[in-house]
Amino acid sequence: MYILREPLDHSPYSCGRLVSMTSSPVKDFLVAHLMPEKCYVEFFINFRFHVPCLMFVFNKIIGLWILLDVFFAQLLQLLKILWRRNADGLSLACVLLQLYASSGPVLFAVAHNFPLFAWGERLFLTIQTSVIVFLILHYRGDTVRGILFVLAYAALIILLGSCAPAQVIAVMHSSSLAALITSKVFQARTNYRNGHTGQLSSPSVFLSCAASLGLIFVSLQDTGNSLATASYVLSACLSCILLAQVLCCVSSTAEKKTA
């Protein structure tokens, strides 16, 4: 039983004063991880689509999806390379630009003494991407070059993190999105030239595409910067192109098997 004694206003945190309500595992999970209790009342008790609550939930879901993209997109790609034991179809230039894009935020966080939990996922992403670079070179027969690259890259990161000027770190951080966008152009061009997507991971591309679309939503609300929003839109469009290429390749492969 529940009783609402006060009228609802337009805040997601002011949906009336709750006197008593029965609890449930579903409610406990949603309130703990997705929405305030008063938004739960709006959605599941009053059956109202309260706009501020909807925006709060959307932002929460998008944030979780972006974290999934950071943690698992490159990991799934890495596992596919290891499983298939080749890296055909992957653009080395694309992965190198991705490595640069993930390194900028890491160096920026280190330079500003941010706590590890604030940028640890970016460090994890950077390590995964560097391993992918090594595997691409390894499966192309350039294992020695791959080892030398990883060692040189690690030394460069340590050097930049310890003595690079703040302006250099700031430029790397601010150019990360441009590098990421360019990386997608290289991979899309490689797919087009090859006529297939090779070992490009479909789940990885899907995660990246969904996260890119989510960043547009977040940018429209938070930054108000038209240039940043346009950059996210361009990144999302390129992610959608990559996803379309992957889906077309999967479809054509299935038709060949059926034939």
Side-chain angles (χ1 to χ4, degrees), residues 72-244:
F72 294 108
Q74 291 292 64
L75 180 61
L76 291 172
Q77 182 62 73
L78 175 61
L79 292 176
K80 182 171 184 179
I81 295 172
L82 291 172
W83 179 260
R84 297 294 180 87
R85 295 185 179 276
N86 73 74
D88 292 343
L90 297 181
S91 168
L92 180 59
C94 167
V95 183
L96 288 173
L97 285 168
Q98 289 175 349
L99 184 60
Y100 173 86
S102 64
S103 300
V106 171
L107 291 171
F108 186 83
V110 171
H112 289 78
N113 297 315
F114 291 165
L116 181 61
F117 68 84
W119 53 276
E121 75 280 359
R122 293 292 173 181
L123 177 61
F124 184 59
L125 175 65
T126 302
I127 293 172
Q128 293 177 76
T129 308
S130 62
V131 173
I132 291 176
V133 173
F134 166 75
L135 290 175
I136 291 175
L137 293 172
H138 169 68
Y139 287 119
R140 289 181 179 180
D142 293 329
T143 304
V144 175
R145 185 183 298 178
I147 294 173
L148 292 175
F149 169 81
V150 171
L151 294 175
Y153 169 75
L156 179 62
I157 290 296
I158 294 172
L159 182 64
L160 289 173
S162 58
C163 60
Q167 294 84 353
V168 174
I169 302 298
V171 168
M172 290 185 65
H173 182 256
S174 61
S175 61
S176 295
L177 180 57
L180 187 63
I181 291 172
T182 308
S183 73
K184 295 177 183 181
V185 173
F186 276 103
Q187 186 60 57
R189 186 183 67 174
T190 299
N191 295 340
Y192 178 76
R193 286 182 173 180
N194 292 341
H196 60 80
T197 55
Q199 302 307 320
L200 190 62
S201 170
S202 303
S204 296
V205 175
F206 175 75
L207 282 173
S208 177
C209 184
S212 298
L213 293 172
L215 284 171
I216 297 175
F217 181 79
V218 173
S219 176
L220 288 172
Q221 292 185 88
D222 296 343
T223 65
N225 187 331
S226 57
L227 178 60
T229 302
S231 299
Y232 287 127
V233 169
L234 178 58
S235 178
C237 290
L238 290 169
S239 293
C240 290
I241 290 173
L242 289 173
L243 182 60

